[in-house]
Amino acid sequence: MREPYQVLVIPYKIINDDIKFAIFSRSDMKCWQWIAGGGEDFDESIIESARREAYEEARIPLNSALIELDSRTTIPVEHCAGGFIWGDDVYVVEEYSFGVNVISDKLEISSEHKGFKWVSYDEAMELLKYDSNRSALWELNIRLLRQTN
């Protein structure tokens, strides 16, 4: 049984002060988004869910450096894999956002995605479908810019 929350993980890399983000094209819809998924069981923490989802969807190593973002939102359960799996009384779930520093250019994507590409902040903002994805990107980008300056 999945836990009633969602995680959002934004892979990034910094090369010569240039920040790039890996954005993913969904297999089941025509949209671009970050890595997303939910908690697998009651013993898994939110950050463990983020690490697992990053590994499952893009083979990002489990020990990669994560940045926990302040960006949080609630999203309709119909936007989560499995829809109303938590019963008729759960309409929205919390979404927690993270950034993950990726060392390799090559990601091995799961069947949830038909492709990915490394893009700039501006290109990601144009491609992303969901406002929560854009808000999390904005926060991560500001944090990374402050670190590199």
Side-chain angles (χ1 to χ4, degrees):
M1 174 82 171
R2 284 186 54 191
E3 285 291 280
Y5 65 83
Q6 186 86 346
V7 294
L8 194 65
V9 182
I10 306 171
Y12 71 89
K13 63 181 177 174
I14 303 172
I15 301 171
N16 300 326
D17 293 336
D18 186 30
I19 306 168
K20 295 291 184 188
F21 304 94
I23 191 169
F24 298 81
S25 176
R26 295 273 315 187
S27 294
D28 58 348
M29 326 185 253
K30 286 189 171 187
C31 77
W32 290 91
Q33 67 176 53
W34 307 123
I35 293 168
E40 289 291 320
D41 60 50
F42 296 110
D43 293 333
E44 185 177 61
S45 70
I46 292 168
I47 199 163
E48 288 170 335
S49 296
R51 290 185 189 286
R52 180 186 44 73
E53 288 293 341
Y55 180 77
E56 288 177 359
E57 293 190 26
R59 290 295 182 248
I60 296 169
L62 292 168
N63 63 349
S64 297
L66 282 179
I67 298 173
E68 186 171 356
L69 302 176
D70 293 332
S71 296
R72 291 189 179 97
T73 191
T74 55
I75 57 173
V77 295
E78 65 187 19
H79 293 276
C80 299
F84 289 89
I85 61 174
W86 299 289
D88 293 339
D89 294 336
V90 179
Y91 299 97
V92 297
V93 294
E94 287 186 90
E95 181 179 70
Y96 300 88
S97 301
F98 299 85
V100 62
N101 189 8
V102 176
I103 307 303
S104 174
D105 286 344
K106 297 178 184 177
L107 299 177
E108 187 179 324
I109 61 172
S110 72
S111 61
E112 290 184 47
H113 306 286
K114 60 184 172 187
F116 82 96
K117 59 183 175 176
W118 290 100
V119 297
S120 68
Y121 171 82
D122 291 333
E123 187 175 359
M125 283 299 222
E126 285 188 30
L127 290 171
L128 289 167
K129 176 177 180 162
Y130 299 108
D131 287 340
S132 66
N133 282 221
R134 286 190 287 275
S135 294
L137 173 61
W138 178 86
E139 180 188 347
L140 177 60
N141 190 59
I142 291 295
R143 286 175 179 262
L144 296 174
L145 288 172
R146 287 182 180 165
Q147 285 179 6
T148 59
N149 291 331

